[in-house]
Amino acid sequence: MNHPETASAGAGKSAFHRGERAVQQRAGVLEKMAARSQVIRTAMPDQHREFFSQLPFMIVGSVDRQQQPWASIMTGPPGFVGSPDAEHLRVHAHALAADPLQQNLAANAAIGLLGIEPHTRRRNRMNGRVEQLDADGWTLKVEQSFGNCPKYIQARRPSTVDNASVAAPQVHRADALDGAMQQLIGSADTFFIATAFLQEQSADGEAGEGGYGADVSHRGGKPGFVRIDDAKTLTVPDFVGNFFFNTIGNLVVHPRAGLLFIDFASGDLIYLAVTTELIWDGPEVASFAGAQRLLRFHVEQAIRVEASLPLRWGAAEFSPALEPMGAWPA
């Protein structure tokens, strides 16, 4: 949902852009979702404002100058994110070393936020634009605020570590997945995906369908649910969700995404820039129990930063929603 017009803005205006509506129609839930537009707000309720303020990290989606989305993580002591009013979030933090967010934060930049507390399986989403950027951090103007269900979240609790001595963490850049990247990704039970809906221009130069925004979302599965087909290709099942189809709807219109993988034990981070192929049905989809469709990611850029994250997590309690789901190989 990267469309600034929400149901609360007036009758007849959809909270969903054409890509999301197309996928909802394909899934047979278009009418049902039109009736649920009231859950998408143009300001944050108090419980969302309080939730963001208690988090030690949040996930950020942004878009670079080449229209490539990237998924990132920002950290700080609880309170590093605050809400001075229901229409703004203030972030007192800076992007981590080698994170593409360093270059993507700019005045009026479209940003997607995911506040997630894994050990309680709570998560809330917020999409907006950078209104202020200064030496202390940045302020985001809210365009959309909405909650997400706890499905597929692995319960793990973070703790802070002192990695101040890592002044210049090792950074590995490639256009394909090296061995260390494949090892982390192949055992992952969680990743984050950033997508974007880009404003179109008509032939006369006027803006087409309104809206330009970034979005970022969580994906969880049994360890190994991200299949490594080769050093340039990943395949992932897409499970049933809330039928908003924010991510899939964005990919229908703009098939590029940013993926973030976290090594919860070491603090290593992998940022991937990918193009995406949607596999709607067929024997490959049917071979993975619980998959509604598949996402095939073609890697364009890969960045691995060693021990970048000043957080560590213990063992995970896997989501009970994953019990009926399949695994690779089928």
Side-chain angles (χ1 to χ4, degrees):
M1 268 176 299
N2 299 310
H3 195 299
E5 297 177 344
T6 67
S8 61
K13 293 183 177 180
S14 176
F16 303 103
H17 64 64
R18 62 181 177 85
E20 293 161 333
R21 295 194 301 270
V23 183
Q24 290 168 2
Q25 184 171 33
R26 183 173 188 135
V29 296
L30 181 62
E31 185 174 334
K32 171 185 174 181
M33 297 312 298
R36 291 186 58 193
S37 289
Q38 70 274 11
V39 304
I40 303 146
R41 308 172 179 89
T42 56
M44 291 181 293
D46 287 346
Q47 63 174 336
H48 288 198
R49 298 173 64 196
E50 294 167 2
F51 178 69
F52 275 100
S53 71
Q54 71 189 34
L55 300 176
F57 74 96
M58 68 178 179
I59 307 299
V60 183
S62 64
V63 184
D64 68 19
R65 294 182 180 180
Q66 288 72 47
Q67 300 186 335
Q68 171 63 54
W70 291 92
S72 304
I73 183 169
M74 300 193 79
T75 70
F80 85 100
V81 181
S83 176
D85 57 65
E87 295 184 345
H88 293 88
L89 271 184
R90 175 66 183 174
V91 182
H92 296 278
H94 301 283
L96 296 171
D99 190 321
L101 185 63
Q102 290 183 344
Q103 305 302 318
N104 299 346
L105 275 178
N108 205 41
I111 296 292
L113 293 183
L114 171 65
I116 183 168
E117 192 174 63
H119 63 281
T120 63
R121 296 193 170 102
R122 291 182 63 192
R123 57 177 164 176
N124 290 309
R125 302 262 282 281
M126 199 272 274
N127 300 331
R129 290 182 177 274
V130 176
E131 191 170 82
Q132 181 181 350
L133 186 65
D134 53 49
D136 295 325
W138 45 286
T139 301
L140 199 68
K141 174 68 167 63
V142 178
E143 290 182 346
Q144 295 180 329
S145 175
F146 53 104
N148 273 171
C149 72
K151 273 185 176 179
Y152 317 124
I153 298 175
Q154 328 307 354
R156 44 168 58 96
R157 186 183 292 272
S159 60
T160 303
V161 299
D162 182 11
N163 65 350
S165 61
V166 185
Q170 290 291 313
V171 180
H172 308 268
R173 300 178 185 270
D175 60 4
L177 303 174
D178 63 23
M181 294 175 185
Q182 292 189 39
Q183 183 175 5
L184 194 164
I185 292 169
S187 61
D189 59 52
T190 299
F191 72 93
F192 301 93
I193 178 169
T195 56
F197 177 78
L198 304 183
Q199 185 175 6
E200 298 173 335
Q201 297 293 321
S202 62
D204 60 5
E206 296 297 322
E209 180 182 6
Y212 181 108
D215 183 77
V216 68
S217 183
H218 162 277
R219 289 292 188 272
K222 295 177 181 178
F225 82 115
V226 180
R227 188 180 72 190
I228 301 173
D229 299 328
D230 57 51
K232 295 276 288 184
T233 313
L234 306 173
T235 299
V236 181
D238 188 56
F239 303 136
V240 66
N242 57 14
F243 299 114
F244 287 2
F245 292 118
N246 310 134
T247 297
I248 304 297
N250 284 348
L251 291 172
V252 165
V253 178
H254 186 66
R256 299 167 73 177
L259 311 183
L260 174 68
F261 290 87
I262 299 172
D263 187 321
F264 296 105
S266 71
D268 287 9
L269 297 175
I270 296 177
Y271 308 88
L272 300 182
V274 302
T275 57
T276 307
E277 174 187 355
L278 294 167
I279 303 172
W280 297 101
D281 47 36
E284 195 173 10
V285 177
S287 73
F288 196 108
Q292 303 293 299
R293 60 199 65 81
L294 301 178
L295 302 178
R296 182 152 290 149
F297 300 124
H298 301 282
V299 176
E300 305 292 338
Q301 299 177 61
I303 306 169
R304 181 170 68 92
V305 188
E306 296 185 26
S308 174
L309 196 62
L311 296 172
R312 301 291 186 272
W313 285 261
E317 176 187 330
F318 293 107
S319 169
L322 293 174
E323 291 180 7
M325 302 307 181
W328 303 114

